[in-house]
């Protein structure tokens, strides 16, 4: 009986810690969203965003400012979404006590969606293609890289 009480208290303590981490993750995610908005108002960001029309424009942006290129292709959204993982874990553990099948379904859908979102992000692939484009020696290589970049976009 005493062992069960100790195990229960440890479980409650672990859940409270997870709830705190989940809450902190949500607050940090809000800060990331606010940073995304603030970055959008910085001088030159709007102009750089409007100028990226062709693949070569994207490659040039990545060569001039890799962070801005990744940001324009959703880097901060990716970070914000990934930060929600502890929050969804906390929600799962809180809601599973009421209805475990629905809580599990929600968690599964979140993690599947997160995996698809992360895998489909094209920012890092474009950054790599941009580096290859900058070091390409022939026009044939540049043309192939432009075609690959067009496919990514």
């Amino acid at each position: 009986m005493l062992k069960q009480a100790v195990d229960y208290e440890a479980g409650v303590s672990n859940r409270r810690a997870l709830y705190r981490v989940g809450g902190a993750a949500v607050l940090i995610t809000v800060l990331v969203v606010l940073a995304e908005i603030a970055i959008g108002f910085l001088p030159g960001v709007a102009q750089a965003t409007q100028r990226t029309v062709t693949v070569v424009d994207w490659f040039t942006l990545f060569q001039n400012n890799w962070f801005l290129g990744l940001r324009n292709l959703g880097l901060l959204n990716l970070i914000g979404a990934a930060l929600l993982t502890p929050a969804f874990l906390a929600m799962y553990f809180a809601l599973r006590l009421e209805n475990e099948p629905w809580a599990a379904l929600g968690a599964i859908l979140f993690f599947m969606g997160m995996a698809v979102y992360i895998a489909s992000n094209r920012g890092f692939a474009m950054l790599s293609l941009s580096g290859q484009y900058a070091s390409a020696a022939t026009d044939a290589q540049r043309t192939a890289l432009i075609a690959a970049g067009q496919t990514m976009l």
Side-chain angles (χ1 to χ4, degrees), residues 46-119:
Q47 292 171 346
T49 302
Q50 293 169 355
R51 285 187 308 215
T52 51
V53 177
T54 67
V55 175
V56 176
D57 293 336
W58 279 102
F59 289 165
T60 304
L61 177 62
F62 275 109
Q63 291 304 309
N64 294 336
N65 190 338
W66 64 269
F67 177 76
L68 191 56
L70 287 175
R71 180 249 172 209
N72 286 351
L73 288 177
L75 175 67
L76 294 178
N77 292 331
L78 188 68
I79 291 170
L83 282 172
L84 288 176
T85 300
F88 271 86
L89 279 175
M91 283 191 292
Y92 165 73
F93 282 107
L95 295 175
R96 76 183 173 110
L97 301 173
E98 293 295 319
N99 195 335
E100 189 165 7
W102 286 109
L105 178 64
I108 289 168
L109 290 175
F110 169 76
F111 287 110
M112 285 175 52
M114 183 60 63
V116 169
Y117 184 63
I118 290 171

Side-chain angles (χ1 to χ4, degrees), residues 1-12:
M1 188 78 146
L2 181 61
K3 182 176 177 3
Q4 287 177 343
V6 169
D7 288 344
Y8 176 77
E9 287 299 320
V12 168

